[in-house]
Amino acid sequence: MNKKRIALLGATGSIGMAALKVIRQHPDRFQLVSVAAGRQWDKLLPVIQEFNLGKACLWEEAAAAELRRHTAAKVFSGMDGLLELCADADVDFVLNGLVGAIGCRPTLEAIRHGKHVGLANKETMVMAGAIINEALSRHPESRMIPIDSEHSAIFQCLAGRPVSEVEHIELTASGGPFRERPQATFATITKSDALKHPTWKMGAKITIDSATLMNKGLEVIEAHYLFGMDFNRIKVTIHPTSIIHSFVQFRDGSLMAQLGCPDMQLPIQYAMTYPERWSLDVERLDLAKVAKLEFFPPDFEKFPCLGLAYRAGSLGGTAPAVLNAANEAVVARFLEESIAFTDIPIILSQVLEQAALSGQSAQTARTDTHAVHGLASKASQPTLDDVLKADAWARAEAEKIMSRGIGKTAVSPAAKVGNR
Ligand code: MG
């Protein structure tokens, strides 16, 4: 049997670590070919040694130089290095577990080279969903399977049925650590409070996004592009124990769910073995022990980031990329403890509304203002270049707002527009 040859991007993160566990369980069927990480060369080195890899990549050149001193493997760096691993003729499957906007171009490169892609990097679809879908239709030999647990659940429930048979999909959300915390105390939320996720162990950025519900918001946009579903047919339900990973409501009244213990090994392996299911040594769900499942509607007042994501998604064009990039900038500042938790939606709302304004003017004036203002109008399908420009604009805009200092003003009404 031919082994599936894998490039693992984001090898030192939580997705990467889980992927390595999966690969170790099937040494006769999976072959790790290359790995990429940010700057943790010392964490990457034992992986290179264990799997006897010939190729690796580190985002930071200085870290790559350090790694080169310890291994005979070819060590690439930066975006060129990531693209190199994705285009590699020795690779069949690219597992994209990169964090943030840098994951977008590698996904596109892998598709263009006909690879199968396991996508854990939701930013790819948030920023460039239409571009990715177009690339997939031009490269039928390629395919992309979601790894985000909610999207894997929906993919599994859909089981190939067309969205015309679906009434709506329902993404479950744990609700994060502040689900029960009174909103009046949100201003005093610290970084360490926000880093305590109730059910999933993940990296810092996504954990903060889970606390603001921005993670769920980005997942709504991701689902829109992955499944071709209108925003009014994508719902969010708070389900604190994360046992049900998401639902599909079919038009005949059947509600399908996918359940399991919260462990990313399952969606990772499924993406790699689809449509087959292989054995996997993860904890089994004991329903008698679970005993009951709880659900609540999301609170758009308390968590304005969720409404902001629906707003960006409905604006279309490069608005999702703007929101995503601004959020990355703002979360980085929150992790440096230079802004408050409650500042996050305020800044994001300002950046998004500014982009929306310039997008509208671009539409009416029919001029190419997005290069200046960062937002391509909804009428025009943005190119990857538009997306990357919008990303850069939004980061700069968010930094500008933060450098001016954030007033403790209320979030603009637009930020509170929800999905229902
Ligand atoms: Mg998720």
Side-chain angles (χ1 to χ4, degrees):
M1 190 192 306
N2 283 340
K3 288 187 186 181
K4 192 164 277 194
R5 301 168 302 171
I6 299 162
L8 175 57
L9 314 184
T12 56
S14 66
I15 293 289
M17 294 311 222
L20 291 173
K21 280 195 211 168
V22 169
I23 293 167
R24 282 188 195 106
Q25 288 196 36
H26 302 282
D28 50 331
R29 303 175 85 174
F30 291 139
Q31 185 193 345
L32 188 60
V33 170
S34 55
V35 285
R39 66 176 80 90
Q40 298 186 68
W41 68 268
D42 51 333
K43 221 171 152 186
L44 203 59
L45 182 61
V47 179
I48 294 169
Q49 290 165 337
E50 177 187 349
F51 292 92
N52 198 19
L53 303 182
K55 290 166 201 158
C57 174
L58 282 161
W59 180 251
E60 290 189 1
E61 172 50 37
E66 190 61 42
L67 181 59
R68 283 182 201 115
R69 261 179 250 149
H70 295 83
T71 176
K74 176 120 183 76
V75 181
F76 301 92
S77 67
M79 183 56 73
D80 288 346
L82 288 174
L83 299 182
E84 190 84 35
L85 298 192
C86 292
D88 189 349
D90 292 335
V91 165
D92 309 304
F93 187 95
V94 174
L95 202 163
N96 188 344
L98 295 168
V99 177
I102 63 159
C104 185
R105 287 182 62 198
T107 305
L108 196 57
E109 185 77 358
I111 293 168
R112 284 173 176 164
H113 285 84
K115 313 297 183 191
H116 289 188
V117 178
L119 188 70
N121 175 261
K122 68 191 71 184
E123 291 83 356
T124 290
M125 291 313 274
V126 171
M127 294 172 69
I131 296 166
I132 295 291
N133 285 337
E134 199 224 1
L136 282 167
S137 67
R138 268 190 288 116
H139 296 276
E141 72 282 14
S142 174
R143 75 176 186 210
M144 197 174 69
I145 312 288
I147 287 180
D148 210 346
S149 61
E150 296 78 1
H151 305 74
S152 173
I154 289 164
F155 183 76
Q156 292 179 57
C157 292
L158 281 172
R161 298 314 303 162
V163 290
S164 57
E165 294 182 2
V166 174
E167 274 177 9
H168 69 258
I169 57 178
E170 207 148 328
L171 303 175
T172 54
S174 71
F178 309 130
R179 184 174 64 83
E180 293 183 300
R181 182 169 173 147
Q183 194 176 355
T185 71
F186 270 30
T188 59
I189 287 171
T190 65
K191 170 181 160 183
S192 73
D193 293 337
L195 283 174
K196 282 179 204 129
H197 194 274
T199 50
W200 294 96
K201 265 204 148 34
M202 306 176 289
K205 197 272 176 177
I206 188 170
T207 304
I208 300 303
D209 285 348
S210 298
T212 61
L213 290 200
M214 179 56 87
N215 182 53
K216 207 52 52 182
L218 297 176
E219 288 179 354
V220 167
I221 301 172
E222 181 186 11
H224 167 78
Y225 289 109
L226 275 175
F227 304 114
M229 196 80 65
D230 289 342
F231 284 98
N232 59 8
R233 292 164 70 200
I234 306 172
K235 299 181 179 178
V236 171
T237 296
I238 305 298
H239 169 47
T241 48
S242 307
I243 298 290
I244 293 184
H245 297 142
S246 277
F247 299 94
V248 175
Q249 174 69 68
F250 286 94
R251 64 179 176 183
D252 62 358
S254 183
L255 183 65
M256 303 277 281
Q258 188 259 336
L259 291 73
C261 295
D263 188 326
M264 289 308 292
Q265 287 183 74
L266 199 161
I268 289 168
Q269 176 165 303
Y270 189 66
M272 297 201 288
T273 66
Y274 172 82
E276 296 172 14
R277 288 184 184 272
W278 297 1
S279 66
L280 183 64
D281 182 19
V282 287
E283 194 186 343
R284 267 48 176 170
L285 196 57
D286 182 342
L287 286 174
K289 236 194 238 168
V290 171
K292 74 176 183 193
L293 298 167
E294 287 188 300
F295 306 97
F296 307 94
D299 188 336
F300 285 87
E301 283 282 326
K302 211 165 143 180
F303 300 101
C305 287
L306 185 56
L308 284 172
Y310 273 98
R311 166 115 176 101
S314 309
L315 282 168
T318 54
V322 164
L323 181 68
N324 176 66
N327 183 56
E328 284 185 17
V330 168
V331 169
R333 293 292 178 201
F334 175 74
L335 287 170
E336 287 170 5
E337 301 182 297
S338 53
I339 61 164
F341 187 79
T342 42
D343 291 335
I344 296 173
I346 296 173
I347 301 158
L348 296 181
S349 168
Q350 288 178 14
V351 176
L352 186 62
E353 293 318 314
Q354 199 142 325
L357 275 175
S358 67
Q360 278 161 14
S361 63
Q363 240 169 347
T364 44
R366 293 202 179 275
T367 53
D368 193 23
T369 54
H370 60 262
V372 183
H373 295 288
L375 188 81
S377 69
K378 195 175 182 175
S380 65
Q381 203 57 258
T383 64
L384 187 64
D385 195 43
D386 294 332
V387 166
L388 297 176
K389 273 183 190 149
D391 176 284
W393 173 86
R395 283 168 206 274
E397 196 59 27
E399 292 295 347
K400 214 159 66 183
I401 294 169
M402 289 188 282
S403 70
R404 284 202 299 257
I406 304 101
K408 294 278 178 279
T409 50
V411 180
S412 82
K416 292 176 181 168
V417 177
N419 61 328
R420 45 190 146 159

